[in-house]
Amino acid sequence: MPSQGSRPDLALELAVNLLSQGGIPQGEVLLLTDDPGGEATLASAQKLVTAGHRLHLLAVGTQEWAPIPLKGGGFLKDGQGEILLPKLELDGLRRLAAAGHGHFSLLTLDDRDIDFLTAPSLDPRLNGAQETAQVADLWRRNRA
């Protein structure tokens, strides 16, 4: 992102608009975040659901208070010069995924998180679904 901060509500609003513009009636949105946002983000998740889509969350961060290292050394600081010590707000992240009728996973060092979030059986709308003429780009993962 070009600046410090997090606005998952705006990301979800953009997702709703892009899926609508693309003519996608039932889409899956994957949000990678450490911040569940607030009421505005929950409202954006509801708009996503109302439009026929689902929101899945992949939480990126630590469950313990930890500083964010900077590339050139040192740690990320707030406006008062204090080192930031963020911690995942798991309850809020889970609540956001539930509001988006989606699934939640913590980031893992292996493929368990992505395998869980992309499993076709997770979407009951796909069970017995008919093939459509719509085409979408597929995310490809290279395994070492």
Side-chain angles (χ1 to χ4, degrees):
M1 300 303 297
S3 62
Q4 183 178 339
S6 180
R7 291 292 308 269
D9 58 317
L10 296 179
L12 297 180
E13 295 284 339
L14 181 60
V16 170
N17 291 336
L18 290 172
L19 289 165
S20 175
Q21 290 172 9
I24 308 297
Q26 293 182 332
E28 305 285 322
V29 174
L30 175 60
L31 179 64
L32 285 73
T33 188
D34 63 350
D35 181 8
E39 292 301 317
T41 305
L42 288 171
S44 295
Q46 286 296 319
K47 287 181 188 175
L48 195 71
V49 169
T50 300
H53 313 296
R54 292 176 51 172
L55 171 64
H56 305 288
L57 256 76
L58 180 57
V60 179
T62 178
Q63 296 178 60
E64 304 296 326
W65 300 102
I68 301 171
L70 296 174
K71 188 176 185 177
F75 298 100
L76 186 63
K77 298 180 181 180
D78 64 16
Q80 289 75 40
E82 298 293 321
I83 294 175
L84 291 174
L85 296 171
K87 176 183 176 183
L88 284 177
E89 187 188 326
L90 292 179
D91 289 339
L93 292 166
R94 285 188 178 105
R95 195 169 32 257
L96 181 57
H101 294 193
H103 298 280
F104 171 84
S105 179
L106 290 168
L107 181 70
T108 64
L109 295 176
D110 56 19
D111 291 338
R112 286 177 294 147
D113 50 1
I114 300 300
D115 290 342
F116 172 72
L117 291 170
T118 60
S121 62
L122 289 180
D123 190 347
R125 297 175 303 183
L126 297 179
N127 292 336
Q130 299 294 319
E131 190 172 327
T132 67
Q134 290 186 331
V135 178
D137 292 333
L138 296 177
W139 178 64
R140 187 172 149 218
R141 179 177 32 171
N142 291 326
R143 296 184 189 223

